[in-house]
Amino acid sequence: MWPYLDATFLSPLRLRRATSLLALGSLGLASLPAAAQQPASVPEPLTASEAPARPSDFLSPAFHKQRRELLRAQLPAGSVAVVFAAPVRNRANDVDYVYHQNPDFHYLTGYEEPDAVLLLFKEPRTVGGQPGVTEALFTQPRNPAREQWTGRRLGAAGAKGQLQLQFAADNKDFGAAGIKWGDFDRVLFDNLPTDTRDDARNPADLHNLVATFRQQAGLPADYNPAISEWETTVRRYGLTRSKGFAEFLAGQVKENPGLAKSALLRDYIAAPTDAARKTAIEAHPPGRLDDATLGEKLDELRAVKTPEELALLRRAIRISAQGQREVMKLLRPEMGEMEVQGLHEYVYRRYGAEFQGYPSIVGGGANGCILHYETNDRQRLDNDLVLMDCGAEYHGYSADVTRTAPPSGKFSPAQRQIYELVLAAQEAGFAACKPGAAFDAPNKATQDVVAAGLQKLGIIKKKEDFRQYYPHGASHYLGLDVHDRGGYGPLAPGNVITVEPGIYIPAGSPCDPKWWNIGVRIEDDALITATGYENLSAEAPRTVADIEKLMAEPSALEGFKLPDLR
């Protein structure tokens, strides 16, 4: 049965839908209580001084201001950079996902609300009648009625004061701000939002902000974000292992023939040599409407973490490592994957981490052989290895830590052999983590060890067959995104990368069945230093001896037992 249609049961979306039904005559006005019809008065939201205390270790406005200034210094002459907030994403019916800001937007502003756009001008401009503007933020306005439902808003005045923006205005003023788009030699943007919803009651939602930008900046009506994304990828990475990349790109075009409209992609794929591919890229540079350069500049900035960022990353990673430790102590054959996931995530919340950096992966046995397994619904782990790829997100920064452990507390001989091979590969990967080394150096080091080890165990006949059981790379950048921005050039001090070799042997593989359904991944987060690396997740044990020793210890969560509901 439907609940009584009372304002206390109505989310803002439900309230809007009820109002729409009224307009259609589906409900009589008497069907809604007075509170849901039109509030007679709505109290002003709590002021900042009255609001409950929040954590004090967020990145400071000075940090975000410095990031904007560094980016603006790298912009080409006569340019403007345009960055949009992330869309609100719907989960089901009138329930949205918890809002997560575009990491670039967060990095540059600290603003955590939707329906906003940031402009950075290389040279000072007049915006909204104010001369000398180098940065402008258009935000959703204050709205006491809406804030009572969905939380406090900064508004333009709050953004200007609390976030130290030079110019801030309501988003409804974006189109009329007098920005002379035709005067810019370059209009830089990246990842133009395409999955926006058009709210008829909000003329300045993200959908309309993007539409206003497209119209005023002169973006062609047939602008194709997918083509743009691949063109940008070719310009950034098309000269690294270019033959293999060209073959991969050809496969993508075959799957999506619309990509063939791009002359750059066609010429690049057709080019027979590296020199010809370089010529193809140079023949198709970004135009005045440039969706490549801004991303490249942000890659450079975000790849090197500042001390402020490292403090948050260290916290996220230590929390994740503690989650691995406590779960190892509690792990039992009768537990299920979902329970294990919940224990990790409870530890995160207990230490103040707001979210997971990505959906937790908890795979027992055969499920551990699925790289991005997220269902986590196996009811009993029994004695199969359980792969736990879990990471806390703390103030926007994500950890990424994987451990693999035996629920019984002891590795079987076959499990131990595969585990120790993966561990040896990780040690080789760590040894390759040096400033100036190629980004791919840790990956290649892990591949060599895995290939030789699998051949020695008789699991593969030729070393080049290792890809069947180790199909992914060993490293990616880590930060505001779990797969963070970065240029994938030589490793540099301040980079934070993962080192995560793995071996996955599903049932039916062409090897001795004793290896079947063994999946092992060991993943740590490494900070590149001036002389080598620091393993930021070292608190979570990695060796067989250390894991088995820890699993014999009592957990702080040992007495946490719920009553049986059956």
Side-chain angles (χ1 to χ4, degrees):
M1 291 183 62
W2 291 100
Y4 176 61
L5 201 57
D6 182 79
T8 57
F9 291 100
L10 291 175
S11 71
L13 257 175
R14 280 198 176 109
L15 186 58
R16 292 199 297 269
R17 289 179 179 175
T19 305
S20 298
L21 288 171
L22 282 168
L24 293 172
S26 298
L27 291 173
L29 187 59
S31 301
L32 284 173
Q37 294 172 28
Q38 181 61 49
S41 63
V42 178
E44 286 292 322
L46 295 175
T47 64
S49 60
E50 294 173 315
R54 301 188 68 208
S56 59
D57 58 343
F58 290 105
L59 293 171
S60 69
F63 168 87
H64 299 293
K65 184 175 181 63
Q66 181 198 50
R67 300 293 99 186
R68 294 194 299 275
E69 291 174 348
L70 287 172
L71 177 59
R72 198 171 71 83
Q74 296 183 39
L75 298 180
S79 69
V80 57
V82 184
V83 185
F84 288 94
V88 174
R89 292 184 167 90
N90 183 253
R91 183 177 184 273
N93 193 23
D94 58 354
V95 178
D96 292 331
Y97 285 101
V98 175
Y99 185 70
H100 190 281
Q101 186 58 278
N102 171 5
D104 289 333
F105 207 93
H106 171 87
Y107 185 74
L108 295 171
T109 67
Y111 184 76
E112 292 303 306
E113 301 173 28
D115 298 336
V117 58
L118 172 71
L119 307 180
L120 298 177
F121 306 101
K122 180 64 175 183
E123 296 85 15
R125 303 281 175 163
T126 297
V127 181
Q130 178 178 324
V133 175
T134 57
E135 55 181 31
L137 178 66
F138 294 86
T139 73
Q140 61 177 359
R142 296 296 305 275
N143 184 324
R146 302 292 293 163
E147 290 179 57
Q148 186 178 32
W149 286 96
T150 56
R152 301 174 185 87
R153 297 180 178 184
L154 278 179
K160 184 174 181 180
Q162 295 183 41
L163 302 181
Q164 299 180 9
L165 267 294
Q166 180 192 24
F167 176 95
D170 285 351
N171 52 17
K172 62 182 175 59
D173 299 325
F174 176 54
I179 300 166
K180 298 180 179 178
W181 295 94
D183 290 351
F184 296 112
D185 296 327
R186 302 273 287 281
V187 177
L188 312 180
F189 59 97
D190 183 66
N191 292 331
L192 196 63
T194 56
D195 55 343
T196 59
R197 291 181 291 172
D198 187 7
D199 185 344
R201 292 164 306 280
N202 184 358
D205 61 12
L206 186 63
H207 181 90
N208 289 290
L209 291 176
V210 172
T212 297
F213 165 71
R214 293 179 66 127
Q215 187 271 323
Q216 293 193 355
L219 203 65
D222 62 352
Y223 171 77
N224 186 321
I227 288 177
S228 171
E229 183 176 356
W230 278 111
E231 288 182 341
T232 298
T233 302
V234 167
R235 291 187 182 106
R236 291 188 197 176
Y237 310 121
L239 298 181
T240 304
R241 292 183 294 177
S242 58
K243 184 177 185 298
F245 183 79
E247 292 171 353
F248 173 75
L249 183 59
Q252 295 298 306
V253 172
K254 186 175 181 179
E255 289 182 14
N256 183 0
L259 296 176
K261 294 180 180 179
S262 166
L264 168 56
L265 301 187
R266 293 197 308 269
D267 293 351
Y268 179 85
I269 291 169
T273 64
D274 283 354
R277 283 184 276 271
K278 183 173 186 292
T279 299
I281 292 173
E282 292 173 346
H284 302 284
R288 175 181 170 274
L289 298 170
D290 179 350
D291 55 7
T293 301
L294 178 59
E296 293 171 0
K297 301 302 181 185
L298 286 166
D299 281 349
E300 295 172 14
L301 278 176
R302 283 179 52 186
V304 178
K305 303 302 185 283
T306 69
E308 300 98 320
E309 291 180 284
L310 285 173
L312 299 184
L313 260 176
R314 286 179 184 276
R315 181 73 176 173
I317 293 166
R318 290 198 67 196
I319 290 170
S320 305
Q322 288 303 316
Q324 294 283 0
R325 290 180 63 86
E326 291 305 318
V327 171
M328 283 184 189
K329 295 176 190 177
L330 281 170
L331 204 58
R332 300 289 185 273
E334 65 270 16
M335 295 174 71
E337 293 169 345
M338 198 173 297
E339 182 179 3
V340 173
Q341 173 186 349
L343 291 168
H344 278 279
E345 294 172 9
Y346 170 75
V347 173
Y348 300 168
R349 301 304 194 278
R350 187 65 180 81
Y351 282 113
E354 296 91 342
F355 304 104
Q356 306 87 251
Y358 50 94
S360 297
I361 298 168
V362 178
N367 293 336
C369 298
I370 301 171
L371 301 186
H372 281 183
Y373 173 74
E374 298 170 2
T375 310
N376 301 347
D377 63 358
R378 178 174 170 177
Q379 297 298 296
R380 281 183 59 92
L381 297 171
D382 295 322
N383 209 25
D384 289 330
L385 285 180
V386 57
L387 186 156
M388 303 174 289
D389 186 340
C390 306
E393 180 185 300
Y394 187 79
H395 297 357
Y397 285 80
S398 178
D400 193 359
V401 181
T402 306
R403 292 293 184 267
T404 307
S408 66
K410 295 288 183 180
F411 288 83
S412 72
Q415 291 170 349
R416 181 173 186 141
Q417 284 179 287
I418 298 299
Y419 187 93
E420 290 189 331
L421 174 54
V422 175
L423 182 63
Q426 191 190 39
E427 291 292 354
F430 277 137
C433 289
K434 300 175 181 178
F439 187 89
D440 197 41
N443 181 52
K444 288 181 176 178
T446 65
Q447 289 178 342
D448 290 343
V449 173
V450 167
L454 289 175
Q455 187 180 45
K456 184 176 180 180
L457 291 173
I459 295 174
I460 58 175
K461 293 183 172 60
K462 299 178 293 183
K463 286 185 178 180
E464 54 266 32
D465 293 337
F466 78 93
R467 273 296 188 193
Q468 180 172 354
Y469 303 110
Y470 179 19
H472 60 79
S475 299
H476 56 77
Y477 293 103
L478 194 64
L480 283 169
D481 284 300
V482 68
H483 296 156
D484 207 31
R485 277 195 177 275
Y488 292 91
L491 294 172
N495 293 159
V496 179
I497 67 169
T498 62
V499 181
E500 52 172 316
I503 293 174
Y504 317 89
I505 311 175
S509 297
C511 61
D512 191 321
K514 73 177 182 178
W515 307 114
W516 289 0
N517 291 331
I518 294 178
V520 175
R521 181 159 66 248
I522 310 171
E523 178 178 18
D524 284 273
D525 304 335
L527 168 66
I528 305 302
T529 67
T531 57
Y533 75 95
E534 176 188 354
N535 182 2
L536 300 179
S537 46
E539 288 175 272
R542 294 187 300 128
T543 68
V544 167
D546 286 345
I547 289 172
E548 291 183 346
K549 179 182 177 182
L550 181 68
M551 293 184 74
E553 295 181 10
S555 167
L557 303 176
E558 199 75 53
F560 185 66
K561 184 171 178 60
L562 295 172
D564 195 341
L565 296 181
R566 289 178 291 182

